[in-house]
Every structure is written in structure tokens, then in C-alpha cells.
Amino acid sequence: MNLPNGFLYPLLLFIQLPFCSSISTITSAHPVADGGVLVSQGETFALGFFSPRNSGRRYVGVWYNKVSEQTVVWVANRDDPLNDTSGVLSINGAGNLIIQSNASSTPVWSTNILAPLTNNSDSVVAHLSDTGNLVLIRQSTQETVWQGFDYPTQTMMPFMKLGLDRKTGLKRLLTSWRSPDDPGFGSCTCRIDPTGIPQFFLYKGSTRWWRGGPWNGVRWSGVPEMGNNDGFFKVTYVEDRDEIYVMDSILNASIFFRMVLDESGYIRRSIWHETNQRWVEIWSAPKDRCDNYGRCGVYSYCDPNQNLNEECKCLPGFEPKSPQDWYLRDGSQGCKRKRADLMCRNGEGFVKLERVKVPDTSVARVNMSLNAETCKDECLRNCSCVAYTSADIRGGGRGCLTWHGDLVDTKLYASDGQDLYIRVDSIELAKARKSSNSIKGTKRTLVIVTGPTLLVGFLLIIFYLCKRRPNIRGHWGKQSHRRMLLFNLATTHKDYPEEDGHDVGERNVDLPFFNLRDIKSATNNFSDKLGEGGFGEVYKGHLSSGQEIAVKRLSKCSGQGVEEFRNEVLLIARLQHRNLVKVLGCCIDGEETMLIYEYMPNKSLDSFIFDHTRKALLDWKKRYEIIIGIARGILYLHQDSRLRIIHRDLKASNILLDGEMNPKISDFGLARIFGRHQTQANTNRVVGTFGYMSPEYALDGLFSMKSDIFSFGVLLLEIISGKKNFTSYNDDPLSNLVKHTWDLWSEDRALEIVDCSMGNSWKELEVLRCIQVGLLCVQGDAVDRPTMSTVVFMLSNEVAIPSPKQPAFVVEGTMTSTCSKNEMTITMIGPR
Ligand SMILES: *[C@@H]1O[C@H](CO)[C@@H](O)[C@H](O)[C@H]1NC(C)=O
Ligand SMILES: *[C@@H]1O[C@H](CO)[C@@H](O)[C@H](O)[C@H]1NC(C)=O
């Protein structure tokens, strides 16, 4: 019998077995038979016999009583299921909790404590706490003699400790299930490894697979996105003589929150979304190739924001051990000292590497009585010391962490991360000093020039706007509204989500302001029009420095123009990624609002893939790189930047190409910043581009990261096929590229969509993998679509990919965008 949902279960039993419905305590007189449940006092959790889906085997487990999806968080007899429903969970004469069945006289499972009872008149009882912990209590002393939280399964619950008890030797670690229908001990584990400085690790079998790194006072070094101030939960790390552990605490008991290690070795945090009745993932690891433990070998670091073939770099003062392998993109041998003979001599020093996950600390030492300066001296004095950093990053850094052995598994982050100081010889040090001096020089001038300019700029705008008499203009609504928006732009931005306890908007928006006269002269009075982007025309220009620029002039009839402009300015000013177009400045003058971008000589992707002659310029290798680049850019927007950004208008014409044909996502006019834990939002103004819109967005105005994923899926199929999604197939007006691809896929003919202008440049398996990922992204139900980190992972690794379910097709639509209103008619086919 399969477990129905948690609500109905006790009810059904009540009808079938009136004597063993739910109870709150197990005593020797009141066991729990198969069919009965033990419910926690607040009715949050239930314990009883269950069968995982597709199996008739019976296990004793704990699940959420109020969550409609079967969510088992703890299992007793993981490797010893019962094959029938004769099981009973009871307390035996010795005071142990045991599971017995008709099939055997010996218990299949027992808590196996040696002497829970000290005398005959004593007894033990078991009950389930509202945190999901099954506890066994000795009545005479009220002492806990055993608890389920000491033997975690695949789920880490709030208030459960993960780590080790140094006194008893008890190790609490997560072990994955063997498969979704077998809770037996699987091969993946998540644990704290105490060697050297304790670190958070994921293992596959006995192989290290991902390293969360050491605790740095605030978070794991390898999880920079984990602010300790995440609002609804808190992570505590304790390391003392008695124990080492990490523990999540939840601040509001009505939120269901868990961390699960799945069968393939991924660890995920999720919360139960009451309205949508599903678990929503808020964090997972590992994220990218550089998270693969030791990917680049010793004395190197991995930079996930580089191209696949440039991700491994040697640390300062080191060179590839085997240059040949290194250039064949096999970094696993790592790097060696350039001049080992110069080490431990006079003139040595340290070079700083910024924003990293610190190397494996199994070979590190800690001394909390030192500070940054004395730490440096200490490291310099000891010849075996190869690097140092602060042990605790709070308050500018305290304590001293030194490495005495190979530096392994260092990863570079685009933002956040820690500083690492690497010991180098005198030559390397001189080199580093020289280059840093020249950088410092330019920085200083920039600060001097731009600081005051910005301030004066902002003040002038405010002054100007305040002095202007309000006048009502139709397309912007009330002038005062506009003034307020701009005022906000110039001062604080309180309506932006908080993160890490700071208001993100208070970070400087250091974006230069250009005046209209300069822009007019740079663009030769707007004479060279490049095209029309969302909400305005784009012109080419040259700055007096010779730099080529693109100027986006917001059309005066652009709906919420000012708000979108403000959005775009604020957003882009904070975003830096090689796959996002870079904004150089902005210009606000009277009715003119303009954005100044770097110029992209190769224009946009649609001018290649949809053009009969130019499409031949993009062979498969290039297209594949473009796909990966776009995916990385979106991943940054969704996950890796400190904000969560939904682009909302991903399409071929919004992907620009630089001189080397690297893709850059542009046009953030419609983007929305999401709070850390917000996963979807609703708008009554559906904007975006027909053909790329997900069904839930087009029909219900719901947008989320998953609606961007949908657009990406469409884009991916367009890049492979060189056809627009609108193109109808087989003279069927209801057909489009997505549907066509799906039809071919179902008949194992998916490769027929491949653009023939790519000639023979493509590899079948690679293209098929991409098509499959594309189809996963356009699935009808947003929940089924993968996240961007999964997409990037699936595209760049030869891992098994799930089979896509039927996509949704939004077809036959007309969307007319005028100044006054948007009209749209849509027909939906396929599941939603
Ligand atoms: C706890 O969360 C629930 C559901 O999200 C909410 O209704 C309630 O107000 C929260 N309580 C507190 C004290 O924040
Ligand atoms: C250098 O550091 C290592 C590791 O902490 C230690 O074993 C060794 O004694 C130190 N050597 C000196 C000369 O202090």
C-alpha cells in the first residue's frame, strides 16, 4: 500500500483500523503497528510505516504531516525493509525501540542501546518532537537515551546537528538514498571533515566531490551566496573541545525548510510553498565545473566565468607542471613553482588573490591570537608556510589561517569570496608590485575625477527637476511621479529588496553621467541609427577618446519609460559579467533619457542566425559557445550576482555579439529584481516578446526564473535550427518551432531541425544534448523546467539528462504594442 498524503492518512486508518489511529507516545503497552501513526504535539510531523513510490517494501519513517507531497525526512530501517504489513514498532523489555514482523522472530531494526533501563521499575517512552526528532526518554530521569537526529538520513532538518561529537565519537552525516524509491544507504555523503581545519564536504563514495570549505565566521568559504542573515533561517557553526557541528535554525516554525542530499550527490535547500503546494529550491551545490573538487590540480585556481578551455590558471609564482597537458585542457596535474630555488630566501613576500574559496584546509593551521599583520610575519618566518588568510572574516578579518602543504581546490568568484595571500619569491613579488602600482595610479585619478563629478551631477539633476514647474504629460503620467522616481535614483532606493541586512540600493551607483551636448556630438546628432531596441532607438557614436559607443535613446512614447529606465540604470550599474553588455553611462536631459553602452560590432544574434547568407558564418562550435555564453549570463542574473534578476525579454535580438562573437545579453528595461526568496511574481502588464513567452507568463502574467528558462529554451532551438519560433511548419498555422521539434523528437528524428548551413561542422551527440536541454526548458509546467545552473551543467558535462515532457505552445498570437495599450490574443496548446 502506498502512502497517500499526510492529511488523509490518519483519517483512512480511522475508518479501517479504529484502534490504532494516531497516538502521541509509544510505550511498551502502546506500540505502533503498520497502519498506525505517531503524531507530534503540534501535528507538524508524523511517524509510521510507509512505502516509497513504486515499491511494496515497508519502512518506518518520519514525514511532514501537513505537506501534501509525501516528504520523508527520516527512516529507521533503511537497509532492512519489511515485505508485508505485519510490522510493529514497539519498546522491548530491555528498553530499546525495535521493529518486528511476522516473518522473523528477531527484530529487523533496533536502537541497540546497551542499558537504557537501570532498574526494573523504570521504563522508557518514545515520542516525536515538533522538529521531526524521534526521541527515546528514560522515565525516571527524563533523560534522552537515544534520538533519531543522531542518525540523520538524507535530510538535514532545522535544529539537527551535522558534525561530530568528540566525546562519544558519534559522527552525524547525511547519506543519500539509494534511489528515489529505495531509502537504503546510498553512495553520497555530506559531512564535516575534521582534518586540519574542519570543512564541509560532499563525498561520492570515498571520493571528495564538492568542498564547501572551512567556516569563516560567517559562512562556509565555498558558499559565498550564503549570507548568515538569510531572513528566515540561520546557520550556526560550533567548534569546541566537545563537538564540531553545523546547525540550521528556523526563525518561524510555520515555515517548512529542509536540506536534502540527493542520489546524484547534490545538496539542496528548499522551502514548502503553501500556495503552490510544492517544494521550492532556494539553494543547491555544486553549481559549476569549478566546484568539482581539485579540478585544476595543485597550486592552481579555477575560474568558472572563463571559457571552458581557460578556466584553470596557475597561482602567482607557479607554472603548469605539464605544459602539454595544460594546453590540452587537462589541468589535473596542476602547477609547480617557477623558481623553487628562490624559496626560503630573502626578499620573499605575498601576492593577494581576491574573491576566492580558500584552498583545502586539511593542511592548514589556525592561530586565533594573530591579526592580519602578525599572521603575515608568522607565515613568512616559517618556510613550510605557503599561504595565509584571516580565519574569521568578520570585522575586517581576525585570526590567522596558514597552509603548510599543497594548495588544492581554490576557486575564483565573480563577487564575494575571500582574499588569499600566496607566498612568492622576490622576482614574482617585484612583478606584482609593478603591476599593482600602475593599477593603483589609474584608480586614484578615477576616484578623484568621478567622485565629485557624480555628486555634482546628482545634485544638479535634483535641483533642475525640483525647479521645473510640474507639467502633466500623458505618457509619463504625472510629472511629479517622474521627479520622485529620479529623486529616488539619485538618493536611496528603499523599494529594492534587502539582502545581507543592507539595502542593496545604498551601494554606490557609480555610473558616469554624460550631457546631451556630448552625446549629440558623439553620435553626430543621432545620424547613424543601428536599430530599434526595446523602448527606443539605438545610435552609434564615438567618444572623444575614440571609443565606439551605442546610445539607446528612450522613445518618448514608451509606456513606463522612466521607471524602466531607472530600472535599467540601477540594474546594469551593478552587473558585471562577460556575457552581459556593459553600460558606460547615462544621460538625462529634459525629456531625453539615454543609456550609453559599449558598442558591439557584430550587432545582434538574430542578424546572423536568421539571415540566409550570414548564418553560414556561425559553425556549430561557435553556436555552441554562444549557447553556453548566454546560459552563463542568465545564470549570473538568476543566481550568481548578489541580486536575483529576471530578464523577462530574452530573445535573439537582445543577444549582442562582440568582436570575437562572444554573446552579451542586453536590454534590461523589463528586468525585475527579485528578493532572495521570492520565486515568482505577478504583473498585470504582460510585456515581453511573443514567441519567447512562457505560457504562465503570457496567460496569467506570472513571471519567474522559469519563464526566462522557457525563453532560453526557445532561443536555444532557434540557434540550432536557424529558424524563428514563429515559422509555421507543414502548413499548419498552429505549428511552430517548439512544436515541430517536439514532434520530431518524439519520432527520434530531432536532428532534422539542425540548420543545414552549419555543414558537417556539428557532432550528433552534442547537438542532441542541446536539443534535449532546449526541450526541457520549454516544458509546459514551470516546475519541470530545470534551473539555469542545471542547464549550464547539463550543457557542459556528459551527464544523464532527463527526458523532456510535452512542451507548451503559445501560438497564433498578435501583440500590438502602441503607446496607449497592448493587445494580445493567444491560443494555447499542450499541457500547462
Ligand atoms: C510565520 O510564517 C507564516 C507563514 O508564512 C506567517 O503567516 C506568519 O506571520 C509568520 N510569523 C512570524 C512571527 O513571522
Ligand atoms: C612551521 O609550521 C609547521 C606547521 O605549523 C610546524 O610544524 C613547524 O614546527 C614550524 N616550523 C618552525 C621553524 O616554526
Side-chain angles (χ1 to χ4, degrees):
M1 184 173 105
N2 272 356
L3 181 76
N5 75 48
F7 281 113
L8 295 176
Y9 203 52
L11 207 65
L12 283 177
L13 288 165
F14 186 72
I15 297 160
Q16 290 169 354
L17 307 152
F19 297 113
C20 44
S21 58
S22 68
I23 56 169
S24 61
T25 315
I26 304 175
T27 61
S28 45
H30 292 99
V32 174
D34 195 330
V37 284
L38 177 68
V39 176
S40 68
Q41 196 176 22
E43 297 181 357
T44 312
F45 288 95
L47 172 145
F49 288 81
F50 74 98
S51 292
R53 58 175 195 206
N54 315 326
S55 96
R57 299 181 301 271
R58 305 295 286 167
Y59 296 88
V60 168
V62 174
W63 59 85
Y64 288 93
N65 194 32
K66 294 178 180 166
V67 164
S68 57
E69 190 180 313
Q70 186 196 88
T71 310
V72 174
V73 299
W74 185 82
V75 181
N77 51 329
R78 294 187 70 171
D79 272 333
D80 307 288
L82 307 175
N83 291 322
D84 57 31
T85 54
S86 69
V88 178
L89 176 69
S90 59
I91 289 171
N92 71 3
N96 271 305
L97 200 55
I98 57 167
I99 302 173
Q100 270 182 311
S101 79
N102 283 348
S104 151
S105 56
T106 53
V108 297
W109 179 87
S110 160
T111 50
N112 270 331
I113 325 154
L114 268 182
L117 296 181
T118 42
N119 62 59
N120 284 344
S121 61
D122 206 353
S123 63
V124 295
V125 298
H127 72 88
L128 187 60
S129 79
D130 269 324
T131 54
N133 192 9
L134 176 63
V135 288
L136 202 55
I137 291 172
R138 184 184 293 137
Q139 291 257 279
S140 59
T141 56
Q142 286 297 306
E143 214 181 316
T144 299
V145 291
W146 179 93
Q147 57 175 342
F149 271 16
D150 282 343
Y151 306 92
T153 58
Q154 93 286 30
T155 305
M156 176 159 149
M157 304 289 295
F159 307 107
M160 178 188 254
K161 293 174 177 178
L162 197 71
L164 67 153
D165 187 322
R166 284 178 156 147
K167 284 187 301 188
T168 59
L170 180 72
K171 294 190 179 104
R172 303 184 186 98
L173 50 97
L174 303 183
T175 318
S176 63
W177 284 22
R178 233 180 255 131
S179 69
D181 50 21
D182 182 356
F185 285 87
S187 59
C188 303
T189 53
C190 170
R191 56 173 96 167
I192 291 182
D193 188 334
T195 319
I197 311 302
Q199 299 181 92
F200 193 65
F201 264 111
L202 294 184
Y203 276 73
K204 277 188 172 176
S206 57
T207 312
R208 290 177 164 180
W209 140 250
W210 175 73
R211 188 175 63 95
W215 187 260
N216 63 18
V218 178
R219 52 178 167 79
W220 301 115
S221 174
V223 191
E225 65 274 25
M226 167 179 149
N228 204 12
N229 197 352
D230 256 289
F232 68 93
F233 77 99
K234 199 175 126 218
V235 184
T236 314
Y237 175 74
V238 170
E239 185 186 344
D240 58 26
R241 210 181 311 157
D242 296 339
E243 51 187 349
I244 305 173
Y245 68 81
V246 62
M247 184 176 86
D248 290 344
S249 340
I250 192 99
L251 309 172
N252 180 342
S254 52
I255 294 176
F256 299 146
F257 170 72
R258 64 192 182 131
M259 183 163 92
V260 176
L261 175 65
D262 72 18
E263 297 79 36
S264 26
Y266 286 81
I267 186 132
R268 305 172 194 282
R269 286 201 149 103
S270 53
I271 50 175
W272 177 251
H273 197 296
E274 193 58 45
T275 323
N276 293 6
Q277 292 288 299
R278 61 174 68 116
W279 288 99
V280 176
E281 183 178 309
I282 57 168
W283 174 78
S284 71
K287 288 194 185 305
D288 52 48
R289 295 184 312 272
C290 289
D291 274 335
N292 223 318
Y293 179 80
R295 180 175 178 90
C296 294
V298 295
Y299 299 108
S300 63
Y301 62 91
C302 189
D303 181 357
N305 293 314
Q306 292 294 329
N307 275 337
L308 231 169
N309 47 15
E310 288 163 4
E311 63 192 9
C312 289
K313 302 254 164 52
C314 288
L315 292 177
F318 291 82
E319 62 191 3
K321 225 182 239 175
S322 158
Q324 196 179 346
D325 288 347
W326 194 262
Y327 295 116
L328 291 173
R329 316 305 172 210
D330 177 6
S332 56
Q333 284 211 48
C335 305
K336 63 173 182 10
R337 283 261 180 223
K338 284 184 193 156
R339 295 164 289 268
D341 54 323
L342 281 187
M343 296 313 290
C344 296
R345 301 269 186 90
N346 280 344
E348 277 175 305
F350 294 92
V351 171
K352 180 162 88 171
L353 194 60
E354 289 177 344
R355 303 188 314 275
V356 300
K357 160 157 98 178
V358 300
D360 193 333
T361 53
S362 318
V363 294
R365 303 284 153 95
V366 70
N367 183 345
M368 287 310 291
S369 64
L370 301 176
N371 62 28
E373 209 37 49
T374 48
C375 183
K376 178 179 174 181
D377 296 342
E378 180 73 16
C379 186
L380 206 53
R381 214 177 8 242
N382 187 327
C383 220
S384 77
C385 178
V386 286
Y388 77 89
T389 188
S390 306
D392 187 330
I393 61 169
R394 285 174 295 186
R398 8 178 237 236
C400 178
L401 202 56
T402 53
W403 277 262
H404 304 263
D406 288 346
L407 300 179
V408 190
D409 198 39
T410 311
K411 177 183 172 184
L412 201 66
Y413 294 110
S415 58
D416 304 303
Q418 291 171 241
D419 293 343
L420 177 72
Y421 296 86
I422 295 144
R423 186 187 202 119
V424 294
D425 61 42
S426 47
I427 297 179
E428 198 67 32
L429 189 63
K431 225 162 71 183
R433 285 216 175 110
K434 215 163 134 197
S435 65
S436 93
N437 277 346
S438 57
I439 291 170
K440 256 189 214 141
T442 39
K443 249 192 200 156
R444 204 168 298 134
T445 19
L446 268 181
V447 169
I448 291 167
V449 178
T450 52
T453 321
L454 261 183
L455 189 67
V456 171
F458 276 133
L459 289 177
L460 280 179
I461 292 166
I462 296 161
F463 181 65
Y464 172 73
L465 286 171
C466 295
K467 272 202 70 180
R468 272 178 66 141
R469 283 165 50 83
N471 89 42
I472 311 286
R473 239 181 282 117
H475 57 273
W476 270 327
K478 292 197 179 67
Q479 178 67 18
S480 60
H481 179 56
R482 178 179 187 230
R483 190 199 312 158
M484 193 192 72
L485 286 171
L486 288 169
F487 185 82
N488 277 348
L489 169 61
T491 53
T492 53
H493 321 289
K494 284 291 179 207
D495 51 342
Y496 278 80
E498 301 224 337
E499 49 156 5
D500 288 356
H502 304 294
D503 191 338
V504 286
E506 276 168 15
R507 255 169 246 146
N508 294 338
V509 181
D510 44 359
L511 195 66
F513 274 76
F514 290 81
N515 69 40
L516 186 58
R517 211 185 51 232
D518 292 348
I519 296 300
K520 276 188 174 156
S521 93
T523 56
N524 203 1
N525 210 5
F526 304 106
S527 57
D528 190 357
K529 186 164 151 185
L530 292 169
E532 249 163 88
F535 298 99
E537 293 161 342
V538 185
Y539 298 90
K540 188 179 173 184
H542 294 264
L543 293 181
S544 51
S545 64
Q547 182 176 12
E548 291 182 308
I549 54 170
V551 177
K552 183 162 125 187
R553 191 180 192 183
L554 286 160
S555 56
K556 287 164 200 158
C557 119
S558 57
Q560 296 182 333
V562 171
E563 193 179 331
E564 259 110 23
F565 178 70
R566 167 179 173 273
N567 221 341
E568 182 154 11
V569 170
L570 285 175
L571 265 177
I572 308 185
R574 293 193 204 119
L575 298 177
Q576 295 284 338
H577 189 274
R578 66 195 311 268
N579 295 115
L580 301 186
V581 72
K582 199 154 123 203
V583 133
L584 304 172
C586 67
C587 169
I588 307 176
D589 191 330
E591 294 175 13
E592 292 280 5
T593 36
M594 284 177 271
L595 277 172
I596 295 91
Y597 296 94
E598 57 180 337
Y599 174 68
M600 292 288 143
N602 281 318
K603 311 237 165 66
S604 54
L605 183 58
D606 62 335
S607 71
F608 280 89
I609 55 173
F610 303 141
D611 183 283
H612 287 301
T613 47
R614 277 156 62 96
K615 56 168 50 172
L617 297 173
L618 292 183
D619 62 4
W620 170 243
K621 184 166 169 287
K622 202 67 233 174
R623 289 191 203 204
Y624 183 67
E625 280 168 17
I626 289 173
I627 291 170
I628 296 265
I630 299 169
R632 287 232 181 90
I634 302 172
L635 176 63
Y636 175 81
L637 291 175
H638 282 185
Q639 251 173 312
D640 290 348
S641 74
R642 294 172 60 82
L643 304 158
R644 173 175 285 181
I645 293 152
I646 313 297
H647 186 284
R648 295 211 294 166
D649 198 16
L650 291 166
K651 56 179 170 183
S653 60
N654 278 342
I655 307 297
L656 303 183
L657 297 165
D658 71 4
E660 275 108 52
M661 301 296 279
N662 293 311
K664 310 242 178 190
I665 300 171
S666 77
D667 230 326
F668 299 84
L670 302 179
R672 284 288 179 273
I673 305 179
F674 270 30
R676 272 278 177 89
H677 309 297
Q678 189 181 0
T679 51
Q680 86 175 16
N682 196 307
T683 178
N684 38 25
R685 221 172 68 90
V686 173
V687 287
T689 303
F690 175 74
Y692 293 92
M693 265 190 263
S694 64
E696 74 274 10
Y697 183 41
L699 297 175
D700 304 330
L702 281 179
F703 62 91
S704 66
M705 288 188 282
K706 294 299 178 76
S707 43
D708 274 359
I709 302 279
F710 186 95
S711 312
F712 172 77
V714 173
L715 186 53
L716 196 161
L717 295 176
E718 289 184 337
I719 295 174
I720 295 173
S721 65
K723 297 207 173 64
K724 290 187 181 166
N725 191 25
F726 303 97
T727 323
S728 68
Y729 289 86
N730 310 329
D731 295 329
D732 175 0
L734 292 184
S735 172
N736 64 9
L737 176 62
V738 169
K739 181 173 187 309
H740 182 63
T741 310
W742 170 254
D743 291 345
L744 289 174
W745 172 266
S746 317
E747 294 167 26
D748 270 338
R749 293 160 51 203
L751 287 173
E752 289 178 23
I753 70 155
V754 174
D755 187 353
C756 47
S757 59
M758 288 196 290
N760 293 327
S761 69
W762 48 284
K763 295 188 201 117
E764 264 184 35
L765 283 179
E766 229 167 56
V767 174
L768 265 179
R769 167 174 294 271
C770 283
I771 295 176
Q772 191 170 352
V773 171
L775 286 173
L776 284 172
C777 294
V778 295
Q779 291 177 107
D781 194 342
V783 194
D784 293 331
R785 293 175 213 145
T787 60
M788 212 61 217
S789 54
T790 313
V791 168
V792 171
F793 190 76
M794 290 190 296
L795 286 174
S796 41
N797 290 278
E798 282 172 19
V799 290
I801 303 185
S803 301
K805 296 185 196 157
Q806 191 177 5
F809 316 110
V810 180
V811 292
E812 199 196 21
T814 53
M815 181 170 164
T816 50
S817 176
T818 61
C819 289
S820 53
K821 62 178 186 189
N822 289 346
E823 281 170 25
M824 192 156 61
T825 56
I826 281 167
T827 313
M828 265 278 308
I829 304 170
R832 285 185 51 198

